Amino acid sequence: MEGSKIENKYFKKAKEKAVDLIQNNENLNHVLKLSRDKLNEVSNTKFIDNIKVFIRMIKAYTKGVYREVSVKSMLALVAAIVYFVMPVDLIPDIIPVTGLVDDFAVVMWVYNQLEKEINAFREWETELSGEDV
């Protein structure tokens, strides 16, 4: 994530919250549930897919089954989820249609910054699903 930053005070708050959440599985799981619930308001399938892969990566990381991602990257993933869930951010989510534009931008930015790690995770998932259980 070197060389590119989102200088948005709301994303900074989300990153601060992410640090706390990484250390508290119960609260983190609550935020992940809120994000899954909020996806019902979204029609953009690429955005939905990105949020879902973020959630799966976070869950795999916190369960200890997938650790091939840096702590810094994990914090960015959690911060993106927190930003998505926060009702008041750069563009408040209560504003129809445009309220989610900044959420999309943040999620896409984080996705683009972590694309290699996300693709590696997806490959790991594919390999895992092919194993006999």
Side-chain angles (χ1 to χ4, degrees):
M1 291 186 53
E2 296 299 318
S4 186
K5 294 184 181 199
I6 292 180
E7 292 301 329
N8 167 329
K9 70 179 180 178
Y10 298 103
F11 189 68
K12 283 184 177 183
K13 285 183 182 181
K15 287 192 297 187
E16 291 168 5
K17 182 72 173 166
V19 171
D20 294 335
L21 288 172
I22 285 285
Q23 299 172 25
N24 185 323
N25 278 348
E26 186 177 331
N27 289 346
L28 178 59
N29 286 329
H30 177 69
V31 169
L32 295 177
K33 182 188 179 321
L34 291 174
S35 69
R36 283 190 304 272
D37 293 346
K38 190 172 179 180
L39 283 175
N40 294 327
E41 302 170 22
V42 179
S43 60
N44 182 308
T45 55
K46 183 164 178 62
F47 181 80
I48 291 169
D49 290 345
N50 290 346
I51 290 289
K52 286 182 176 180
V53 76
F54 288 11
I55 291 169
R56 293 193 314 270
M57 281 182 78
I58 294 165
K59 285 184 159 269
Y61 183 88
T62 58
K63 289 178 181 177
V65 295
Y66 187 80
R67 293 295 177 125
E68 300 302 316
V69 60
S70 70
V71 173
K72 184 176 180 180
S73 295
M74 187 53 51
L75 288 172
L77 292 170
V78 174
I81 295 288
V82 169
Y83 192 92
F84 172 59
V85 170
M86 289 183 342
V88 178
D89 45 36
L90 188 60
I91 303 172
D93 294 346
I94 59 169
I95 299 172
V97 182
T98 58
L100 293 174
V101 169
D102 62 318
D103 297 351
F104 294 154
V106 166
V107 168
M108 293 308 296
W109 179 82
V110 169
Y111 184 92
N112 289 335
Q113 296 300 305
L114 304 179
E115 191 168 8
K116 287 181 184 176
E117 288 177 288
I118 291 168
N119 288 340
F121 173 75
R122 285 187 160 148
E123 287 177 25
W124 173 81
E125 279 184 314
T126 301
E127 290 172 9
L128 189 65
S129 67
E131 292 181 5
D132 291 333
V133 180

